[in-house]
Amino acid sequence: MNIHEYQAKALLRDAGLPVLRGDAAFSVEQAVAAWDKFQVPLVAVKAQIHAGGRGAGHFEGAGGDEAGKQTDKQTDKQTGKQTGKGGGVRLCRTRDEVQANSESMLGRVLVTKQTGKSGRRVGRLYIEEGGAIERELYLSLLVDRQSAAVVVIASASGGIDIEDVAKKTPNLIHRTKIGIDGYSSYHGRKLAFALGLSGESVKHFSKLLQKLSELFRELDASLLEINPLVLQPDGKLLVMDAKMTFDDNALFRQPAIESLRDVEEEEPSEREANEVGLSYIKLDGTIACMVNGAGLAMATMDIVQNFGGSPANFLDVGGGADKDRVETAFRIILRDKAVEAILVNIFGGIMRCDIIAEGIVAAASKLGLSVPLVVRLQGTNFERGKEILASSSLNIIAAETLADAAEKAVAAAQGTNKSS
Ligand code: GDP
Ligand code: MN
């Protein structure tokens, strides 16, 4: 689960990390109230969405966005860099600028490198005191499954997309592993020197990393990214952006984190799937997949790609799927207008193929099948399952092997394409 920047910053502030004063605003009035409260010469008005790259992003249909254009001239002078024209991070020096920029962001759709073309609607802003920047650094902690440790990644090249840094100047990225024993001052010193810090800044950095790694573990986080971590002219550090992701499997013991959930940021279909125990992730392709087991689901997606198709989703119905769950899965799949064919690939183990077949028939007759359906059943009770499908009045394309199934699904999707 992801949370917003302002929520992550509140957690960090409470843990004693250096974060400037800031308030969330759900309306223009609240944004202006924050300006009035802080009484500072400069605030940053920041769009709150669960995606990065906001500074360089743009608002949909923002042609006439005078507020964005005006503040950005000042932004460029101030930082000499990237907050793009009319993006999701704007520096404001007057009450009127705060008002105009809040008006031109709230309720509008922000498109960034990380949101995809459809962008995200901005429902919340964060108004924060402006901070002085000497250098922008990058710092993140994440769970590395391979080494079963928390890995800390740091770079002297912060404030920009870390993937770009990794591609163009991989030598500027430094890593260290924090094992089961937790943080030790060695980790802090090592990375501080790699970042080119000196004097008191080394101590500030070590303290910061220690607190972050403790918080990371305490809150069952899976990612904590600070980009930029700002080195200020006085040698102190400042958390200027914060992104946090938490392990969904640990949310049951993190009620305070769970309460920060913003359902507006979640794909409605993914939420519905979650509620009935399906693992569903929407993708951009045209072939819907319904599979049992995460590994088989991934293999199915791969083989669809191999035959020139593109999966519309990842969907694992799980080991204990029943008729209702299969029906919900179908309903979710059919709601996606991009879907041109459905591929059901079930390997019956604990899961019985006849139950799945009954579920398919029930769901398809109830919901109506608007696209071709390819079904491959193997394993427990697969003969019985095939009989059920064959004796139904549904137009089902049967397949034997996984390759056969994928090929038929790709062909069926192309057929839909031509006829439409
Ligand atoms: P992101 O683009 O979504 O990653 O949003 P960030 O919060 O990282 O903001 C983008 C950039 O805006 C930062 O790298 C900074 O250069 C600049 N920025 C953000 N907040 C402030 C601020 O309070 N003061 C100044 N001077 N610059 C800021
Ligand atoms: Mn950032």
Side-chain angles (χ1 to χ4, degrees):
M1 186 187 104
N2 294 316
I3 60 173
H4 287 294
E5 171 195 7
Y6 78 90
Q7 297 167 324
K9 280 182 168 169
L11 294 172
L12 297 176
R13 195 183 288 121
D14 289 347
L17 286 143
V19 179
L20 292 171
R21 285 186 302 164
D23 276 348
F26 293 73
S27 66
V28 176
E29 292 69 37
Q30 287 175 357
V32 173
W35 164 270
D36 291 340
K37 174 174 146 190
F38 293 144
Q39 300 281 326
V40 288
L42 176 81
V43 300
V45 176
K46 309 179 75 173
Q48 298 296 291
I49 55 171
H50 288 182
R54 295 163 300 169
H58 67 271
F59 280 86
E60 236 171 38
D65 186 355
E66 286 306 317
K69 281 178 206 155
Q70 279 165 23
T71 37
D72 278 316
K73 271 182 215 142
Q74 290 171 327
T75 307
D76 291 343
K77 257 185 253 156
Q78 169 79 12
T79 62
K81 64 180 274 263
Q82 84 263 71
T83 31
K85 288 207 183 349
V89 176
R90 301 182 186 180
L91 302 181
C92 301
R93 288 161 197 285
T94 65
R95 194 173 192 271
D96 287 347
E97 277 181 12
V98 172
Q99 170 151 5
N101 281 288
S102 302
E103 272 165 8
S104 75
M105 287 202 255
L106 267 177
R108 301 263 303 279
V109 173
L110 176 59
V111 181
T112 81
K113 221 175 145 181
Q114 289 182 18
T115 61
K117 270 181 254 140
S118 52
R120 293 275 175 81
R121 190 184 160 275
V122 176
R124 311 175 184 194
L125 299 173
Y126 181 52
I127 317 299
E128 191 180 62
E129 285 184 90
I133 302 177
E134 175 80 25
R135 274 171 59 197
E136 297 193 25
L137 311 169
Y138 174 94
L139 181 67
S140 68
L141 285 80
L142 51 99
V143 175
D144 178 33
R145 284 164 200 276
Q146 213 154 32
S147 55
V150 172
V151 169
V152 186
I153 299 174
S155 174
S157 184
I160 54 172
D161 199 16
I162 192 71
E163 273 88 28
D164 285 347
V165 180
K167 234 182 275 164
K168 288 176 201 147
T169 46
N171 58 312
L172 287 181
I173 293 185
H174 307 275
R175 297 159 187 272
T176 189
K177 238 186 277 175
I178 294 184
I180 197 79
D181 297 332
Y183 172 88
S184 98
S185 55
Y186 152 81
H187 297 113
R189 277 198 308 273
K190 180 183 157 185
L191 286 178
F193 291 128
L195 290 174
L197 298 177
S198 58
E200 288 294 302
S201 297
V202 176
K203 274 190 218 152
H204 293 316
F205 181 84
S206 295
K207 210 158 167 198
L208 178 119
L209 183 56
Q210 174 169 16
K211 283 183 182 160
L212 288 178
S213 55
E214 283 164 7
L215 194 69
F216 189 92
R217 182 175 296 216
E218 225 170 83
L219 296 181
D220 292 306
S222 55
L223 172 77
L224 198 178
E225 185 181 58
I226 299 174
N227 187 23
L229 173 66
V230 160
L231 177 64
Q232 300 199 277
D234 63 3
K236 292 195 178 133
L237 295 163
L238 191 58
V239 173
M240 202 167 263
D241 188 11
K243 172 179 182 173
M244 285 186 91
T245 307
F246 300 89
D247 183 347
D248 289 335
N249 294 316
L251 286 176
F252 74 93
R253 63 180 189 191
Q254 300 289 355
I257 299 298
E258 171 82 56
S259 73
L260 300 177
R261 188 182 284 276
D262 179 2
V263 293
E264 295 289 314
E265 287 282 337
E266 294 173 8
E267 179 73 36
S269 293
E270 289 178 14
R271 215 184 325 149
E272 184 186 349
N274 219 328
E275 277 160 16
V276 297
L278 298 163
S279 305
Y280 171 86
I281 294 164
K282 192 180 155 5
L283 301 169
D284 292 334
T286 59
I287 298 178
C289 302
M290 191 175 113
V291 188
N292 66 320
L296 188 59
M298 287 198 270
T300 306
M301 289 159 58
D302 280 350
I303 203 148
V304 163
Q305 299 249 18
N306 188 48
F307 282 102
S310 58
N313 63 274
F314 168 97
L315 174 57
D316 171 11
V317 292
D322 52 16
K323 246 168 91 169
D324 283 350
R325 224 194 269 181
V326 171
E327 187 180 319
T328 307
F330 260 90
R331 198 169 343 109
I332 290 170
I333 282 176
L334 289 170
R335 203 183 293 144
D336 181 354
K337 295 282 168 274
V339 168
E340 290 170 359
I342 302 173
L343 168 52
V344 175
N345 182 26
I346 301 293
F347 193 87
I350 298 168
M351 161 89 91
R352 287 161 42 195
C353 289
D354 53 327
I355 302 280
I356 288 286
E358 275 171 12
I360 292 172
V361 173
S365 5
K366 195 164 160 189
L367 306 168
L369 260 188
S370 43
V371 291
L373 172 64
V374 179
V375 180
R376 177 207 177 216
L377 299 175
Q378 277 299 330
T380 309
N381 290 2
F382 78 96
E383 286 106 337
R384 180 80 199 102
K386 282 183 180 168
E387 276 166 34
I388 292 169
L389 293 179
S391 62
S392 78
S393 56
L394 294 170
N395 184 11
I396 292 172
I397 305 167
E400 288 301 318
T401 65
L402 179 48
D404 182 32
E407 210 172 351
K408 282 175 172 159
V410 173
Q414 280 161 356
T416 324
N417 232 347
K418 270 176 219 136
S419 64
S420 65

